[in-house]
Amino acid sequence: MNKKPWAEICLIVLGSLLYFMANVQRVAVPGAMFDVLTNDLQTTAQAVTALGSIFMYSYALGQLVIGVLIARFGGFRVVTVGSLMFFVGSLLFPFAQSLPFLYISRLLIGLGSASFYLGMINETRRLVPKKNFGVILSLILLVGYLGGIVANAPLVICIHELGWRDSFLWTGVLTAVLACLFVLIDKTVKHVEIDKTVHMDFELFKKTFSNKKNLNLYAFACFNYGLYYVIQTVIGKKFLEDFCLMPVMKAATILSLMGFMYAIAGSVIAFISKAFLNRRTIFLRISSLNTIIVFGLILFCVCFNVKTPLIAVGFCTISFGASLSPLLVPLLHDYNGSKVANTAVSVMTCGFYIVVALLGSVVGFCLDYFSHLRIESSYIAHNSAYIAIFSVLFLLAIVSFVSVFRIEESKKTLRLIEHIQYIKEREASEEEHWHDEYEHDLYTNI
């Protein structure tokens, strides 16, 4: 890293920690505490899943404008505003006694969280030498992904010991400390000049959606990611408890393992893809095939009441196959010119969370529509609810699987493959020619 003022380095570290807290909030509600919230608030499943959907909608729509705001005002300025919204929402959440205030808190948390990822990428790219950028960025992402691990088993332990309100109060206090430190240190750094020429260009969105290559990729990527993340953040833990009859801590540990698998998968898949001449579509197809097999297996198990640990294994495999951004982003950059590429990526990110939000609403509706039982403090869904839920998820897995075969390989990759094949053919031809000459000389000498 270049010798930069310690203030800017501290902002990068604090921004990474805020991204960690954002992932805790994003994964934990309602996933790790579904029954806790329905019991404490005495409300419906739809009302509880709406807590997750509101976050996802606000986070998704934020992705469409955050990039423009960062280009205009700079990453640190945008993250400063986002961190204030984030900590206000985080502190409001444990104190809210009614659903409207809980929804407002989740809206603020979602909007604030939307600034951290792109803001940190922008400032890290500005401050870090190009040769070190990938390493530093991977560390920032790793810190953030750890939040998804903490949001399950460790959080469940805290909720068991302290209750959900006190657990989230401490989370809110820590968030407030990080945000205040970020704001105070931000005042000491020299910001980039505001670029008043930057504005929202709707022509870029038009070009993005008019490109059929983008649409094919979105149809696969958004559903593939949405299927994984609705399990991780909404229904996975509860399903393992209700249907597989897993103890709470065991189910939470499976979800934490999913978070760990997702965290390491991106780097592993990117490395393997590079080893195979940057081929990407083959790995997208393998991921999609795995997804359709897993959801087909789960639907079969639910329909015939087959309780098997393979369901938990399937959850972990789809989490490994959902971390595909290192493959998808380069494809979008190849499909679009440099001016459109960033918009295309932001649309894909927005689509990820819109699908998760919609699926969260579907899950809540199915849980409420079909009969359920209350045993002590637990809300036990009937198998018919899970049959409906996983039927929808399996159909989307089919759509994703069909779409993945319409995704085209990168032009750069195709050119590289053709070049290597040409070299091999030329070497083979030269070797054959040399062999023919050798046989001719040998025959002549005889």
Side-chain angles (χ1 to χ4, degrees):
M1 181 179 287
N2 283 338
K3 291 183 178 180
K4 292 290 179 181
W6 278 103
E8 292 181 322
I9 297 173
C10 287
L11 289 179
I12 294 292
V13 174
L14 289 170
S16 303
L17 294 174
L18 285 168
Y19 185 47
F20 167 88
M21 300 305 296
N23 276 278
V24 171
Q25 292 280 357
R26 186 166 64 187
V27 174
V29 182
M33 45 194 297
F34 200 107
D35 286 335
V36 173
L37 289 173
T38 52
N39 184 60
D40 185 74
L41 300 174
Q42 290 295 301
T43 189
T44 64
Q46 275 185 287
V48 171
T49 56
L51 291 170
S53 294
I54 288 172
F55 176 99
M56 297 298 175
Y57 282 127
S58 57
Y59 189 91
L61 296 176
Q63 298 304 305
L64 299 179
V65 297
I66 289 297
V68 177
L69 293 176
I70 289 173
R72 184 179 177 91
F73 297 104
F76 284 151
R77 287 193 184 96
V78 175
V79 173
T80 296
V81 176
S83 65
L84 292 174
M85 297 173 68
F86 182 56
F87 100 73
V88 170
S90 298
L91 285 177
L92 177 61
F93 185 71
F95 288 109
Q97 297 297 321
S98 64
L99 284 172
F101 280 105
L102 286 169
Y103 293 152
I104 291 172
S105 71
R106 296 297 292 173
L107 178 67
L108 291 172
I109 291 171
L111 289 174
S113 299
S115 67
F116 300 147
Y117 175 68
L118 293 177
M120 287 302 98
I121 288 178
N122 178 270
E123 293 299 337
T124 303
R125 182 183 288 115
R126 184 173 67 87
L127 297 172
V128 175
K130 188 174 182 180
K131 63 180 181 179
N132 297 329
F133 174 69
V135 175
I136 301 300
L137 180 60
S138 65
L139 291 175
I140 292 173
L141 294 178
L142 178 60
V143 170
Y145 292 153
L146 289 175
I149 302 172
V150 171
N152 280 288
L155 180 62
V156 168
I157 295 173
C158 290
I159 292 173
H160 178 73
E161 296 295 327
L162 304 175
W164 77 267
R165 291 189 183 274
D166 284 346
S167 298
F168 275 87
L169 175 59
W170 283 109
T171 301
V173 169
L174 178 57
T175 299
V177 171
L178 293 173
C180 290
L181 284 174
F182 192 98
V183 173
L184 291 174
I185 296 175
D186 180 65
K187 291 182 177 294
T188 67
V189 303
K190 183 179 180 181
H191 292 99
V192 297
E193 295 292 328
I194 296 176
D195 188 350
K196 296 182 179 180
T197 63
V198 175
H199 60 278
M200 183 69 76
D201 189 350
F202 292 100
E203 187 64 27
L204 296 178
F205 289 97
K206 183 178 178 181
K207 290 180 180 178
T208 297
F209 285 106
S210 63
N211 189 333
K212 290 185 178 180
K213 292 182 180 180
N214 292 341
L215 299 180
N216 291 331
L217 187 144
Y218 292 157
F220 157 74
C222 294
F223 287 134
N224 188 70
Y225 180 85
L227 290 168
Y228 152 71
Y229 217 54
V230 76
I231 297 294
Q232 174 77 358
T233 64
V234 182
I235 196 61
K237 175 175 171 289
K238 178 166 178 57
F239 173 70
L240 292 175
E241 294 172 20
D242 288 359
F243 180 76
C244 298
L245 305 179
M246 281 190 184
V248 173
M249 272 307 303
K250 188 174 181 179
T253 301
I254 295 297
L255 271 293
S256 285
L257 182 58
M258 285 181 68
F260 172 76
M261 296 288 284
Y262 181 84
I264 66 171
S267 299
V268 172
I269 292 173
F271 176 80
I272 297 174
S273 172
K274 188 174 182 179
F276 282 83
L277 304 178
N278 286 328
R279 287 182 172 91
R280 300 183 178 95
T281 56
I282 182 63
F283 299 104
L284 303 184
R285 291 171 183 177
I286 292 172
S287 172
S288 187
L289 176 62
N290 175 70
T291 299
I292 198 172
I293 291 173
V294 168
F295 281 97
L297 171 67
I298 295 173
L299 182 59
F300 173 85
C301 291
V302 175
C303 289
F304 295 96
N305 202 30
V306 179
K307 303 181 189 300
T308 169
L310 287 176
I311 291 175
V313 175
F315 279 1
C316 292
T317 61
I318 63 169
S319 63
F320 195 90
S323 188
L324 298 175
S325 291
L327 307 184
L328 297 170
V329 171
L331 282 174
L332 285 175
H333 277 268
D334 185 76
Y335 295 163
N336 303 273
S338 57
K339 292 183 178 180
V340 183
N342 289 333
T343 301
V345 172
S346 69
V347 169
M348 180 182 71
T349 307
C350 175
F352 284 167
Y353 297 103
I354 289 290
V355 170
V356 177
L358 291 172
L359 289 178
S361 299
V362 169
V363 167
F365 172 79
C366 291
L367 291 176
D368 283 338
Y369 183 81
F370 295 94
S371 58
H372 55 268
L373 300 173
R374 278 193 181 274
I375 300 177
E376 295 179 355
S377 60
S378 297
Y379 174 109
I380 309 297
H382 194 271
N383 271 18
S384 56
Y386 288 120
I387 291 174
I389 290 169
F390 282 100
S391 293
V392 173
L393 300 185
F394 182 61
L395 287 174
L396 294 182
I398 293 174
V399 174
S400 178
F401 185 69
V402 171
S403 301
V404 77
F405 288 94
R406 298 175 180 172
I407 298 176
E408 298 180 15
E409 189 60 87
S410 164
K411 292 179 181 177
K412 292 180 180 178
T413 299
L414 291 175
R415 285 197 296 267
L416 177 60
I417 293 171
E418 289 176 359
H419 180 66
I420 292 175
Q421 288 177 340
Y422 170 76
I423 291 175
K424 288 182 177 179
E425 290 173 358
R426 184 172 178 178
E427 289 177 347
S429 176
E430 290 177 352
E431 184 176 348
E432 184 179 349
H433 179 68
W434 175 85
H435 185 70
D436 291 342
E437 287 185 346
Y438 175 78
E439 286 189 342
H440 178 267
D441 291 343
L442 184 62
Y443 178 78
T444 303
N445 291 332
I446 292 173

